[in-house]
Amino acid sequence: MALLNIRYDFRCPDICPVPVEELYHAAIEQAVWAEDLGFVSVTLSEHHGSDDGYLPSLVALASAIAARTENIHIMLAALIAPMHDPLRIAEDLAVLDRISKGRISVTVAGGYVPSEFEMFGYTTGDRVRLTVEMVETLKAAWTGEPFEFRGRTVRVTPTPYQNPRPAIWLGGSGEPAARRAARIADGFLPTMPEFWDFYRDEVIKLGRDDPGPATSGGVGYLHITHDPDATWAQVAPHALHEMNAYGQWAAESGAATGYEPVNDADALRAMGMHHLISPAEAIDMIKAMGDFDALMFHPLMGGLDPALSWENLRLFETEVLPHL
């Protein structure tokens, strides 16, 4: 069966029916639910200075989830390197890894939103340098030994729970990022599937084991419902907000993210990123997926009402999962 995952970014626009703290609490409870059902991971994403309150603090939320769970893996995807002090985040992540008893991995990315770079006093021209520095700093810091950082000898304690350290992936869009990931990171998380082949090619050139072809990410948004049209009417404003918010960032930066501005809910639904399907259709879809394909739930997408998101998850629990 496909690997089950759940993710959150905590956009809470004006159409969100609850305050953002209610989304935080709902996500923590849903992570506990997901662990109980055998989900592999919960993924948290960050951005900064966003009008809709997009999560800016991965470690804080991840710590809350780690304290309530025992087995589920916590993926930080992605940590935007230019928005963090490398030493400070190395400390925070080491403590998080201790709290979770070794259940974290981190994807480092260079970022692409111009306003975020301005907020932290950088430009997009700094991102490659700062991303490489972040990866190198995390690797050195997590040995627990003194190392050179910006001309100073420093040491980070405690060391992480994992030995030798948590996995460090690189996120990115384009061939340079993919090949850089092969050289300095433990894995690669592309914004678009076509970038994976560059990563795979570079890994093989470096004499390491072939990581294989890209796996399927399943669907962009999955909602189990007995009345897809009625549910879409509830989901559509949130889906439009997410698509247009990401689409605006992509348009401003020129990054290839798969998002683009869309004005009409019917046009967005026709794009095929949002699957609102019956339990029977979900069973057939998931059975057709490969054993190592990833099925990602995004239950609070665009500030969706937690009550509606729970309806989706409970139908998956009671009417889909028992048949898989």
Side-chain angles (χ1 to χ4, degrees):
M1 190 179 82
L3 302 175
L4 301 177
N5 308 270
I6 196 165
R7 70 168 291 253
Y8 300 95
D9 58 22
F10 301 101
R11 290 188 183 276
C12 190
D14 292 341
I15 56 173
C16 182
V18 298
V20 69
E21 62 269 21
E22 295 300 322
L23 298 184
Y24 293 157
H25 284 278
I28 294 167
E29 296 302 325
Q30 289 175 359
V32 173
W33 169 89
E35 176 175 79
D36 289 343
L37 293 186
F39 276 55
V40 173
S41 69
V42 53
T43 297
L44 304 176
S45 303
E46 75 167 18
H47 277 288
H48 301 267
S50 177
D51 290 340
D52 59 13
Y54 201 121
L55 180 68
S57 180
L58 291 176
V59 174
L61 210 293
S63 294
I65 291 174
R68 290 287 311 278
T69 56
E70 296 181 357
N71 298 302
I72 198 166
H73 188 78
I74 303 170
M75 301 179 67
L76 309 183
L79 182 87
I80 306 175
M83 284 82 217
H84 294 277
D85 177 272
L87 292 181
R88 178 74 252 193
I89 200 66
E91 293 175 327
D92 287 346
L93 292 171
V95 171
L96 173 60
D97 199 47
R98 291 279 177 172
I99 292 171
S100 69
K101 294 186 177 180
R103 290 186 285 124
I104 73 163
S105 62
V106 57
T107 297
V108 176
Y112 66 97
V113 182
S115 61
E116 290 181 311
F117 287 90
E118 295 171 9
M119 178 177 175
F120 286 88
Y122 293 112
T123 69
T124 55
D126 296 312
R127 60 185 169 192
V128 172
R129 172 180 61 84
L130 294 172
T131 299
V132 173
E133 180 190 54
M134 176 67 77
V135 173
E136 292 175 345
T137 301
L138 293 179
K139 288 179 178 179
W142 288 341
T143 67
E145 299 297 326
F147 66 101
E148 292 298 312
F149 176 77
R150 297 180 182 175
R152 311 186 302 275
T153 299
V154 298
R155 185 184 181 205
V156 167
T157 60
T159 56
Y161 182 92
Q162 296 178 69
N163 185 18
R165 58 172 172 77
I168 303 171
W169 287 42
L170 214 61
S173 57
E175 180 177 353
R179 296 192 182 278
R180 188 178 307 116
R183 294 192 299 270
I184 70 173
D186 301 314
F188 179 52
L189 185 64
T191 57
M192 301 290 286
E194 54 263 32
F195 301 135
W196 177 264
D197 288 341
F198 298 120
Y199 170 74
R200 183 184 185 186
D201 177 68
E202 190 70 15
V203 168
I204 294 170
K205 284 182 178 179
L206 292 168
R208 301 205 305 271
D209 291 342
D210 183 354
T215 58
S216 168
V219 297
Y221 175 78
L222 176 62
H223 198 118
I224 315 300
T225 172
H226 289 300
D227 192 341
D229 290 337
T231 303
W232 175 246
Q234 296 174 279
V235 169
H238 303 273
L240 279 168
H241 173 80
E242 180 185 65
M243 173 62 79
N244 287 317
Y246 277 124
Q248 180 179 346
W249 284 344
E252 291 172 355
S253 65
T257 65
Y259 291 90
E260 60 186 72
V262 177
N263 294 322
D264 180 75
D266 291 336
L268 177 59
R269 192 176 185 184
M271 292 172 67
M273 292 180 66
H274 301 83
H275 289 235
L276 286 82
I277 56 179
S278 69
E281 291 170 323
I283 292 167
D284 291 341
M285 182 191 75
I286 297 169
K287 283 184 175 180
M289 296 175 70
D291 287 343
F292 293 99
D293 286 341
L295 181 66
M296 184 76 76
F297 282 82
H298 186 14
L300 298 174
M301 180 264 300
L304 200 66
D305 189 338
L308 181 59
S309 78
W310 273 118
E311 290 178 15
N312 170 21
L313 298 180
R314 294 299 186 195
L315 275 178
F316 175 76
E317 177 185 3
T318 59
E319 299 191 26
V320 177
L321 193 57
H323 301 281
L324 299 177

